[in-house]
Amino acid sequence: MMAAVKGVIPQWKLKDVEEIRKHLKEYPVVGLVSFRGISAMQMAKIRREFRNKIVLRVVKNNLIEKALQEEGGEFTKLVDFLGDQVAFVASEMSPFKLFKELEKTKQPSPLKPRQIAPEDVVVEKGPTSFPPGPILGDLQMGGLPAAIEKGKIVIKDTVTVVKAGEVVKPEVAKALELLEIKPVKLGLDTRVLMEGGIIFTPEDLRIDVEAISQQFGEAYTKALNLAVNAAYVTPETAKILLIKAITNARNLAINAAIPERGIVDDLISKAHSNMLSLASLLPSDALDDELSTILQSKAEVEVVEEKVEKVEEEKKVEEEEEEEEKKEEEAIEGLGALFG
């Protein structure tokens, strides 16, 4: 009776406004999503999946606007995104995670008659699963170059049946549905999310997680290299810097011929190598028998190593040529099988 009295606002409207205001205060992230085109069954499924994770309230636009205006402050920014069929959402998730969850609600769906095509719809040429029958006429009425070949209906050429922005004709919608072509995704479409007074649109929220992760990895590697080269000590660089310092100290001691414990064997090996290099420059009559024997053995080993390297290189070339010949033979066999 009260609702019928002129000027009295129904209690259910007041309740909806108060609940929206309550969510605006309780949750760090709020926003508006469009649910146009979603079936009742799909919406029920979304509600079940979002239970205890996301608040989803389907409320009239004027009631949402009233709640936003009464709450005031930064929330009034959301009023500009009202319109059409929208629902109110609130969550503890970050805007980016919430956007990702909302995107998961979208399912491939067929175009409906007289719907505005959101993008070009291209049907590729090729066979279908249909035998000859009335379906052939339905496909042709939908603008598809359909014909019968070898007992099956085939699409003779690739064709764009509807372009983005065009109205979908009923016969085109029917043909696409017969071919089970579902070019659009229907679900909760994010209009805007807000956190701490900051507005986030889908353009802000749609990020390539894999690319961002790769960039973080590259940044970490560059920062680590810079810290190591600058000898900047952090928990990540301490071990690397110690190893680098030990290596540099060892190399310095060897090059300066400092007889420290742990590098004596290296110093002896270096001295021996230098002695052999110097001896190889002297005439043979200036060498004793021991040095001559050592140098001759060294030369023979180098010759053998050079021959081994040459054989291995020739073997590698032969294997590459054999692999190339095998690929050519397989290609010829494939062409033979193709053309009978």
Side-chain angles (χ1 to χ4, degrees):
M1 290 296 292
M2 291 294 294
V5 178
K6 187 176 181 180
V8 176
I9 301 176
Q11 288 299 314
W12 64 267
K13 288 187 177 182
L14 295 174
K15 182 180 178 183
D16 284 345
V17 171
E18 286 306 312
E19 286 186 353
I20 295 295
R21 292 188 64 182
K22 180 182 177 183
H23 297 323
L24 291 172
K25 293 173 184 152
E26 290 181 345
Y27 290 90
V29 177
V30 296
L32 300 171
V33 296
S34 172
F35 59 91
R36 173 165 286 280
I38 299 179
S39 65
M41 185 179 297
Q42 186 180 355
M43 179 61 83
K45 180 183 177 184
I46 291 171
R47 287 182 182 279
R48 286 196 303 270
E49 291 176 350
F50 280 174
R51 188 175 297 154
N52 301 325
K53 293 198 304 182
I54 300 172
V55 173
L56 177 63
R57 294 295 310 277
V58 178
V59 181
K60 290 185 176 181
N61 284 355
N62 62 329
L63 299 181
I64 297 176
E65 181 177 359
K66 184 173 179 61
L68 294 173
Q69 295 288 9
E70 288 184 359
E71 200 59 32
E74 301 291 342
F75 293 117
T76 57
K77 296 178 183 178
L78 299 177
V79 174
D80 295 334
F81 296 89
L82 286 168
D84 199 21
Q85 296 178 331
V86 297
F88 174 85
V89 293
S91 176
E92 298 283 352
M93 300 179 190
S94 71
F96 295 95
K97 188 172 182 181
L98 176 55
F99 175 76
K100 191 173 181 180
E101 289 297 317
L102 293 170
E103 287 292 291
K104 290 179 183 178
T105 66
K106 295 182 178 180
Q107 299 177 354
S109 302
L111 286 173
K112 296 180 180 179
R114 299 180 180 81
Q115 175 184 350
I116 301 296
E119 58 186 39
D120 291 354
V121 180
V122 179
V123 178
E124 301 290 339
K125 68 177 181 180
T128 72
S129 60
F130 302 118
I135 291 179
L136 176 63
D138 293 332
L139 296 178
Q140 291 174 341
M141 286 290 291
L144 297 172
I148 298 174
E149 288 184 3
K150 299 180 180 180
K152 291 285 185 181
I153 295 176
V154 299
I155 308 300
K156 299 289 289 182
D157 296 297
T158 298
V159 61
T160 301
V161 293
V162 62
K163 293 184 178 180
E166 292 182 349
V167 177
V168 180
K169 298 178 181 178
E171 52 269 25
V172 172
K174 184 177 181 180
L176 293 175
E177 187 174 1
L178 287 170
L179 293 173
E180 297 185 349
I181 295 176
K182 300 177 179 180
V184 296
K185 288 187 175 183
L186 290 181
L188 297 179
D189 194 19
T190 303
R191 284 201 167 192
V192 64
L193 296 177
M194 174 184 278
E195 181 183 38
I198 301 174
I199 290 289
F200 295 92
T201 62
E203 290 72 24
D204 303 319
L205 299 166
R206 192 175 286 110
I207 61 175
D208 188 334
V209 176
E210 186 175 340
I212 295 297
S213 298
Q214 184 177 351
Q215 290 174 10
F216 272 114
E218 291 174 355
Y220 175 84
T221 301
K222 290 178 180 178
L224 184 66
N225 290 337
L226 175 62
V228 170
N229 291 325
Y232 185 78
V233 181
T234 69
E236 291 79 12
T237 63
K239 184 176 180 180
I240 300 173
L241 289 172
L242 286 173
I243 294 173
K244 184 180 179 183
I246 293 171
T247 303
N248 290 341
R250 183 182 182 85
N251 291 337
L252 175 62
I254 292 173
N255 291 327
I258 301 173
E260 289 289 337
R261 184 176 60 182
I263 65 167
V264 173
D265 291 343
D266 294 312
L267 290 174
I268 293 173
S269 297
K270 182 181 179 182
H272 182 72
S273 178
N274 291 340
M275 179 271 294
L276 292 178
S277 297
L278 178 61
S280 65
L281 300 176
L282 300 176
S284 57
D285 56 358
L287 304 175
D288 59 17
D289 293 340
E290 183 180 0
L291 270 177
S292 297
T293 302
I294 293 174
L295 289 175
Q296 185 177 356
S297 300
K298 184 173 181 289
E300 290 174 353
V301 169
E302 290 176 350
V303 170
V304 171
E305 288 178 348
E306 184 178 349
K307 288 182 178 179
V308 170
E309 288 179 359
K310 186 176 181 180
V311 170
E312 289 179 350
E313 185 176 349
E314 291 175 351
K315 184 179 179 181
K316 184 179 179 181
V317 172
E318 290 177 359
E319 289 177 350
E320 290 176 352
E321 291 176 350
E322 289 177 0
E323 183 67 22
E324 189 66 28
E325 290 177 0
K326 185 178 179 181
K327 288 181 179 178
E328 291 178 358
E329 291 175 357
E330 290 176 350
I332 293 172
E333 290 176 359
L335 288 172
L338 180 63
F339 295 103

